[in-house]
Structure formats: C-alpha cells, structure tokens
Amino acid sequence: MAASIIDVARRAEVSTATVSRALRGLPNVSEATRERVLRAAEELSYAVSPHASSLASGRTGTVGVILPFVNRWFYGQVVAGIDSVLRANDLDILLYNLGDERVHERFFAHMPLRRRVDAVIVLNLPLSAAERESLVSMEVPVAVLGTRIPGCWHVSIDNAEGASTAVRHLINLGHRRIGMISGALGDSRGFTTPIVRQHAYRTVLAQAGIPYDPELEAPGNLTIDEGASAMAQLLSLPDPPTAVFAESDQMAFGALRTLGRMGLRAPEDVSVIGFDNHETAELLNLTTIAQPVAHQGELLAQQILDALSGESEEPTQVVVPTRLVVRGTTGAARVARPRNPLSPRPGPEPDQHSRTSAR
Amino acid sequence: MAASIIDVARRAEVSTATVSRALRGLPNVSEATRERVLRAAEELSYAVSPHASSLASGRTGTVGVILPFVNRWFYGQVVAGIDSVLRANDLDILLYNLGDERVHERFFAHMPLRRRVDAVIVLNLPLSAAERESLVSMEVPVAVLGTRIPGCWHVSIDNAEGASTAVRHLINLGHRRIGMISGALGDSRGFTTPIVRQHAYRTVLAQAGIPYDPELEAPGNLTIDEGASAMAQLLSLPDPPTAVFAESDQMAFGALRTLGRMGLRAPEDVSVIGFDNHETAELLNLTTIAQPVAHQGELLAQQILDALSGESEEPTQVVVPTRLVVRGTTGAARVARPRNPLSPRPGPEPDQHSRTSAR
DNA sequence: TCCTTTCATGTAAACGATTGCAATACCCCT
DNA sequence: AGGGGTATTGCAATCGTTTACATGAAAGGA
C-alpha cells in the first residue's frame, strides 16, 4: 500500500541505509545520490513510518502534555504557546487530560507515556510524591508549570508577588476590610498555586497591621459560579468586605455577577481585583494581575527543546513577571469619603505595624 | 532498561507469543499460564512498547485531532468532549493546531498523521478539494465537525436554522433595521459556517420583506476586537441598525463593549444577539443561540469508535439542535415606543413587501 | 483402540525503519 | 607506484511487538 523505504531504495538504486541518511539530511551522502533518493521518495509519495522510526531510533518526535483541563481559557492559552514552538521544531503533542480523578490514577498506574514521548510537559497538576517519582523515572526531560519538582525544568510566575501586589493595591486604595475568594478546591487534590496566593494575602494583611479574619476567605474553586456564591457569602457577613481579591479572573467574574444581581456596583460599593488577565477581563473592565499565559507555554516548550538538543544541560527554572493592570473595578475605599452610605462600621485604628503604602 | 516482552516471557517460562496473548486477554491461554504471565509482568513493571506494537499490528491507539485554534473557548470545549470519550476507550489524542497557514500547508504536504493514527477528527477546518482528497486517502475513518466531506463521518449543528432563529427573534421584536456582524474572514481561507449563517440572515430578511442593505453587514473575524470595530462601523452608518446579529458570542461581546464605550445600552438602544452560548454569555446577559459544544465533541469521538469497532458501517451524519436563549440584550424595537431619545432618523416607510412581524 | 477435534503453546516471519561496522572508491602526497 | 586518508555506500543486526502457522497434547466419539 503505502510505499516503504525499501521501495524508495529500489527505485533510487541504493540501499535502505542510504535512503535513510539522504532523507534525514545526514552528511556523507553525495549530492547526486541525495537528489536521486529525494526524487524517488517524491515520486512514490513516501513518508517514513513514525513507529518504525521510533522503534529503531528510540526517539519519538512527540512530547506529552498532561493537564487538568483542556476547556479552560488558561490551559488553552498555554497549550497554544507550547504548540507554536514545538510545531516549529516538528514535535508533535500527545494530549493527556487528567482532570478526572480516575483518569489521573490510571495514568500514573500504567504510565502510558512511557517509551512513547521524548519529553513531558506538566501543567499545574497536583502530584503526589510517588507520582513525581514515576514521572522522573521515565528518564525523559520533564518541564513543569507551576509547582517545582526536583530534577525537572520549571516555569512559573511569582504567585506570592502577584497576590501581594493585588492585596497591596487594595490596601493602597484605603481598604481595610479585604475579602478573598480563594481557589482552594473542595476535593482533596492539592493545587499549590491557590495556597501560595492565599498565604500571600494573609501575609500582606498582617504586614499592614490588619487583623486576620477567616470569615473573609471564601472558597471559589476557580469557576464563575463558585466565585459568584463565594461573593454572595462574603456579602452576607455582618461586616462585609469593601474590597475583594479573587484568586482568578473567572471567580472575579462570578463575583461581579453577584454584585450586579444584588444591585451593587464595582468599585463604588465593593472593589474587585482578579488574577490572570483573562481575555474577558478587559471586557468587564476588571482590575487584575496579568500574567503572560501563552508565553509560559512557549518557555516550557523552549526548555524541552534545550533539554532535547543540549547534551547534558542542567534544568533551568524561570520565573516570569506579573503585572498589575488597573481597570475600573477597583477604587478608593468608601471610608475615605465623608459619607458612608453602606454598612457603617467602626473604622479600625491604625496600629503599631509599619506601613509602606499611602492611605 | 525497561523490561521487554522477552524478559517477561523468560520469567514466566513461556514464549513471547503467549505473553502477548495473555496480556491482551486473547482466548486460548490457560488460566494458570495467564496468571503466571500477569504476575511476571507486574513484577518487572512491564509496559508494552506502543511503537513496537503499532509497527507489528498496524493499530496505533491514537486519534489525530486537527483544528484551527487551541486557545479559543469553542475548540477547548470540543476537545474536552472528544477527550472524555476517547480516553474512556484508551485512545490517545494527537493534537494538530493548523491555525497558521504555513503549518497548514506543511501538514498537507507531508501528511504527518499518515500511518500514525487510527482515525482523524477535523474541527471546522476549511479544506481545499485536494486536501479533502489526501485526508480520505489516508484510509482511516475521518470525522468532521462543521463541513461535510463525502465518505467521512459528520457532526454539525444546523447553522442555517440557528441563524434564522436569531434573525427571526429580532424581527419578532419589531426590528426592521437589522445589522449583522459576520465571521467572514479577511484572509482567503473559507470557513463555511459563517457563510451559511450569513446566507440565512439574508434569506430571513428577504422572507420578512425587509430590503437587503449590504452596509448592514460588517465583517468581524470571530474575535472580540473585530466584533467591537464591526459594531462601531455599523453605528456610524447614516441609518444605523436597531438590532444586530453577531455570528458568534465573541463578536457580540465586542459589540457590547463598543456600545458601552459609546454610552449606548443593550437592548434599550440596540438589541444584540450572539451565537454559541459561550460561557461568558450568561455573565454578560447576552441573548444567543446555544449549541451543545462539548457534546459535539463527544459525538465525533463516538463516531470514531463506531467506525473503528463496527466492521463496515457506513459513515453517519448527525445534526444536533440549537436553541434560542433569550437573555437581556434583546428587546422590543424602539420604534414601537412613543419617544425616541437617540439618533433620530427618518423612519423608513413601510414598504410594499409582506411583513409577518408586528410593529 | 484409533481417529478427529479442540485447545494451549511455541516458532519464526513480518512490521519499517536506524545505525555500527565493513568495504569500496577516490584523492593527495611523497 | 605505494600508502594513508576521507568521503560514499552497503550489509546486517537491532528495536519490541504481533500473528500466521506448526506442533503436540488432551479430549471425545464411534
């Protein structure tokens, strides 16, 4: 059916070895021969069998990408970034969506990527120690987005810095009662990113001398709907926040929806800041912490290329900067104004801690 | 390094043939032997080499998915749908993003999927006749979303029906001057979906006796930004539309943004209806035509499974229904109201054509 | 008892490349 | 003319399975 290397060899009147060399542009093939082979291959519309090639050479020309969601904006962007640089180097993408817990378990039980890919890219997946172990035991370069794994390449943003900036932005606007919609998941799987951001939130508040109130932290699970209910929960507090930091834009969108449905406005009634700079953030005029999403994908892919080409390079770790994008949903705290139409409360006294931000 | 089938055979004291049969659950293996083999494989933590297996058997356990964008909501949803059913049947996904024109060309020049996948799923890609040809010449089942290709499996929505419903909705609300933001691309590649929807728009207008005005059709290229400028263009007409049908929600979002920035409101000043029921549509309260996106992915994958299992089934073609979702961005035409606060213009005289909708 | 089935297993030939090594041819020096 | 490189090319082993076919044993029937 499809022509094999033997057919090409016969037609070009050389051995299969020469065909192989000629086709892959290896040296030590005379120009005349190479042309003859190329022509023969062309005439037979020959294409190498990737499986045979992989079997013989050990290389697969494929990179496995494992991630928790394919249908979320963030991951789509990252994959697009990965794809663009991998494709340019003729590497294919084998996609593994491990969102479902059982799929996740099966994946690590059988390791279907074993001998199947030249490298692996892991996007933001919470992995147990044993799972990390089996990942590195595949003996191929692994690049990880988000969490750091010893021996693996690594790309991430500075989540602590980004979250701190967000909270500081609110504090600088005069807010003292600052809520947070966290991405801590209901299920047991531990994404680390939300935790880091949450920690930064607490730290910055503490630095500003604002007492910690666990009621101000509502879990949102990173979705619009959950963000909406989290906001509803926060607003139902006896002393609701005047500003809210949502750990993701999606949750911030939900928060804005709740606000709208309750007849409240941002930033007049409640300031809202998100995280990601989702494509819709501009549309909704959401203040947020921007991170270069697709670019992180490109960086991961580039690391893979480095690992694959460079003989014995050490894994690098790159941290890309975040950026505060001020739009319309954050504004000065109402306390700063003479009249305080909503939910009057005792203004907390400035305390003894140092404070860097202006009031 | 990694154990091979020979190691397992040795340890279980059988031949590799028996190992192969035992491991794949083929009949004609005694229970005792099967257990022995399973144990040996377990102890060596043996995993079959997919490449060797593919080479020998001809099956790859992989399905190629080719699409024009990975980072757009629609495609993410579809891929998620595909993934869920393919994964459940232990088929892997090889992702090909052919958004870039040069990548597209290279793809069809080299056919890198040839002998590499058991089936192909094509998402909404505009293909030339020659390209369709090379696709079917791969001799594997092909399932296509959107356009119909002879000999291929097919899933789509009824675009004409959906678009007609959208336009009829506006007409029923009393609108006579109805603009359209079309997805017709600037570049030469011909996605068929936008064209079908555009055609339906014209047809329904004609049926309602509304004269055709090419100025009311603005190209939007399916993005938020382009949708925004298309809306700006429509609003700058001497006689701007009172309602706009955007061929995609993304473009509708852009349209809403333009409206907002110009101080206009939907539906009071201009009614807007989109298409897709994008996750953000609910957030923005956008009236739209809903289509089951992820479900279409599942259907495509299911077709592939049918094609792969069923011996000689004929390709099926399934059309899934769309649904009008009325939200807050469409409302009765202003003309129906006594006062007309914005952009007064010469009310077009009722013309001689038949008219079904109330004024 | 002998012949025919049926079942379990082994043998060895694909599958379609890559690649280390050997072999040849050619060139340049001395 | 002879010797040592160097650039081309071919040979054949190898990668790790699957599978058609052969073999042999056990079982069943007449």
Side-chain angles (χ1 to χ4, degrees):
Chain A
M1 187 98 321
S4 88
I5 198 174
I6 299 181
D7 305 317
V8 180
R10 243 195 299 270
R11 183 174 255 258
E13 297 180 298
V14 292
S15 69
T16 64
T18 301
V19 173
S20 177
R21 286 187 279 252
L23 254 30
R24 285 180 299 148
L26 295 187
N28 294 338
V29 175
S30 77
E31 211 37 56
T33 307
R34 188 184 303 275
E35 266 180 36
R36 205 143 31 88
V37 170
L38 255 36
R39 182 145 30 83
E42 164 75 14
E43 288 165 354
L44 296 173
S45 71
Y46 164 78
V48 310
S49 157
H51 296 294
S53 175
S54 304
L55 183 56
S57 70
R59 299 175 233 103
T60 67
T62 306
V63 174
V65 175
I66 70 182
L67 36 61
F69 307 100
V70 253
N71 51 0
R72 291 198 183 173
W73 172 81
F74 180 88
Y75 296 95
Q77 294 299 116
V78 175
V79 171
I82 293 173
D83 177 87
S84 68
V85 1
L86 250 34
R87 179 67 58 220
N89 291 70
D90 275 320
L91 288 169
D92 293 333
I93 293 181
L94 205 49
L95 197 68
Y96 269 81
N97 177 4
L98 301 188
D100 185 90
E101 189 134 7
R102 293 183 45 199
V103 173
H104 182 108
E105 279 167 19
R106 286 194 40 165
F107 179 88
F108 282 100
H110 294 69
M111 280 283 136
L113 252 36
R114 184 185 267 249
R115 306 206 237 173
R116 182 122 211 237
V117 294
D118 293 338
V120 177
I121 297 179
V122 182
L123 303 185
N124 258 344
L125 266 180
L127 300 179
S128 71
E131 289 166 347
R132 289 151 191 245
E133 187 51 43
S134 38
L135 220 46
V136 306
S137 76
M138 286 179 60
E139 315 237 347
V140 297
V142 177
V144 186
L145 178 69
T147 48
R148 189 159 303 182
I149 299 182
C152 297
W153 302 68
H154 174 80
V155 169
S156 74
I157 56 172
D158 189 334
N159 279 291
E161 174 58 27
S164 301
T165 302
V167 179
R168 264 190 241 110
H169 172 63
L170 298 176
I171 292 176
N172 290 345
L173 286 169
H175 294 277
R176 302 283 297 169
R177 185 111 182 117
I178 299 173
M180 157 148 199
I181 302 180
S182 76
L185 271 76
D187 60 39
S188 57
R189 305 166 48 191
F191 285 84
T192 68
T193 302
I195 296 170
V196 172
R197 294 184 190 168
Q198 192 169 29
H199 183 255
Y201 157 81
R202 293 178 189 169
T203 305
V204 171
L205 286 194
Q207 285 169 350
I210 300 175
Y212 173 61
D213 183 349
E215 281 194 328
L216 286 176
E217 292 182 0
N221 205 10
L222 298 176
T223 66
I224 294 181
D225 286 340
E226 299 249 4
S229 21
M231 185 52 133
Q233 183 182 327
L234 289 176
L235 290 177
S236 70
L237 289 176
D239 184 11
T242 66
V244 169
F245 165 44
E247 266 191 36
S248 82
D249 282 353
Q250 291 268 327
M251 294 193 295
F253 299 156
L256 292 178
R257 191 179 75 190
T258 296
L259 243 33
R261 292 196 179 158
M262 296 183 64
L264 299 175
R265 306 187 58 187
E268 289 81 357
D269 299 310
V270 181
S271 281
V272 175
I273 184 170
F275 203 122
D276 284 346
N277 202 21
H278 188 287
E279 59 177 348
T280 313
E282 190 202 353
L283 205 59
L284 294 176
N285 209 16
L286 176 71
T287 295
T288 192
I289 302 294
Q291 62 168 316
V293 186
H295 183 55
Q296 291 179 72
E298 294 166 8
L299 289 173
L300 288 163
Q302 192 57 55
Q303 290 187 325
I304 291 301
L305 293 180
D306 291 350
L308 253 30
S309 69
E311 277 66 23
S312 60
E313 282 192 56
E314 276 306 291
T316 62
Q317 316 196 327
V318 7
V319 174
V320 302
T322 59
R323 183 171 48 89
L324 171 65
V325 178
V326 179
R327 295 206 183 91
T329 55
T330 50
R334 269 173 297 120
V335 255
R337 297 185 214 147
R339 61 204 180 303
N340 192 342
L342 184 73
S343 74
R345 53 187 161 65
E349 281 302 303
D351 59 351
Q352 74 283 12
H353 291 69
S354 73
R355 203 172 317 116
T356 58
S357 49
R359 261 276 180 133
Chain B
M1 189 95 321
S4 88
I5 198 174
I6 299 182
D7 305 317
V8 179
R10 244 197 298 269
R11 180 174 257 258
E13 297 180 295
V14 292
S15 70
T16 63
T18 301
V19 173
S20 178
R21 285 187 282 251
L23 255 31
R24 285 180 300 148
L26 295 187
N28 295 339
V29 175
S30 77
E31 209 41 53
T33 307
R34 190 185 302 277
E35 265 179 38
R36 204 143 31 89
V37 170
L38 253 36
R39 184 144 28 84
E42 165 75 13
E43 288 166 354
L44 295 171
S45 72
Y46 164 78
V48 310
S49 157
H51 296 294
S53 175
S54 303
L55 183 55
S57 70
R59 299 176 232 103
T60 67
T62 306
V63 174
V65 175
I66 69 182
L67 36 62
F69 308 99
V70 253
N71 52 359
R72 292 198 182 173
W73 172 82
F74 180 88
Y75 295 95
Q77 295 299 116
V78 175
V79 172
I82 293 172
D83 176 87
S84 67
V85 2
L86 250 34
R87 179 67 59 219
N89 291 70
D90 274 319
L91 288 169
D92 292 332
I93 292 181
L94 204 50
L95 197 68
Y96 269 81
N97 177 3
L98 302 188
D100 186 89
E101 189 134 10
R102 292 183 45 201
V103 173
H104 182 108
E105 279 168 18
R106 285 195 39 167
F107 179 89
F108 283 99
H110 293 71
M111 280 283 134
L113 253 34
R114 185 184 266 249
R115 304 205 236 174
R116 186 128 206 231
V117 294
D118 293 337
V120 176
I121 296 179
V122 183
L123 303 184
N124 258 345
L125 265 179
L127 300 179
S128 72
E131 289 167 346
R132 289 153 190 245
E133 187 52 42
S134 38
L135 221 46
V136 306
S137 75
M138 285 178 62
E139 314 238 348
V140 296
V142 176
V144 186
L145 178 69
T147 47
R148 189 158 303 185
I149 298 182
C152 298
W153 302 67
H154 174 79
V155 169
S156 76
I157 55 172
D158 189 334
N159 279 293
E161 174 57 29
S164 300
T165 301
V167 178
R168 265 191 242 109
H169 172 64
L170 297 176
I171 292 176
N172 290 343
L173 286 170
H175 295 277
R176 302 283 300 169
R177 187 114 182 114
I178 298 173
M180 157 148 199
I181 301 180
S182 76
L185 270 75
D187 60 40
S188 56
R189 304 167 47 192
F191 286 83
T192 68
T193 301
I195 296 170
V196 172
R197 294 184 190 169
Q198 191 168 32
H199 183 256
Y201 157 82
R202 292 179 190 170
T203 304
V204 171
L205 286 194
Q207 285 168 350
I210 300 175
Y212 172 62
D213 182 350
E215 280 193 329
L216 285 176
E217 293 182 2
N221 205 12
L222 298 175
T223 65
I224 294 181
D225 285 339
E226 298 249 5
S229 19
M231 184 53 133
Q233 183 182 325
L234 289 176
L235 290 177
S236 71
L237 289 175
D239 184 10
T242 66
V244 170
F245 166 44
E247 265 190 37
S248 82
D249 281 354
Q250 291 269 324
M251 295 192 296
F253 299 155
L256 292 177
R257 189 179 76 192
T258 296
L259 243 34
R261 292 196 178 158
M262 296 182 64
L264 300 175
R265 306 186 58 186
E268 290 81 356
D269 300 310
V270 180
S271 282
V272 175
I273 185 171
F275 203 121
D276 284 346
N277 201 23
H278 188 287
E279 59 176 347
T280 313
E282 190 202 352
L283 205 60
L284 294 177
N285 209 14
L286 176 71
T287 295
T288 192
I289 302 293
Q291 63 168 315
V293 185
H295 183 55
Q296 291 178 73
E298 294 166 7
L299 289 173
L300 287 164
Q302 192 56 56
Q303 289 188 326
I304 292 301
L305 293 181
D306 291 350
L308 252 30
S309 69
E311 276 65 26
S312 61
E313 282 191 56
E314 276 306 290
T316 63
Q317 315 197 329
V318 8
V319 174
V320 300
T322 58
R323 182 172 48 90
L324 171 65
V325 177
V326 180
R327 295 204 184 91
T329 55
T330 50
R334 263 175 302 122
V335 256
R337 295 185 214 150
R339 60 207 180 302
N340 191 342
L342 182 75
S343 74
R345 52 188 162 66
E349 279 305 301
D351 58 309
Q352 73 283 14
H353 291 69
S354 72
R355 202 172 319 117
T356 57
S357 51
R359 261 277 175 132

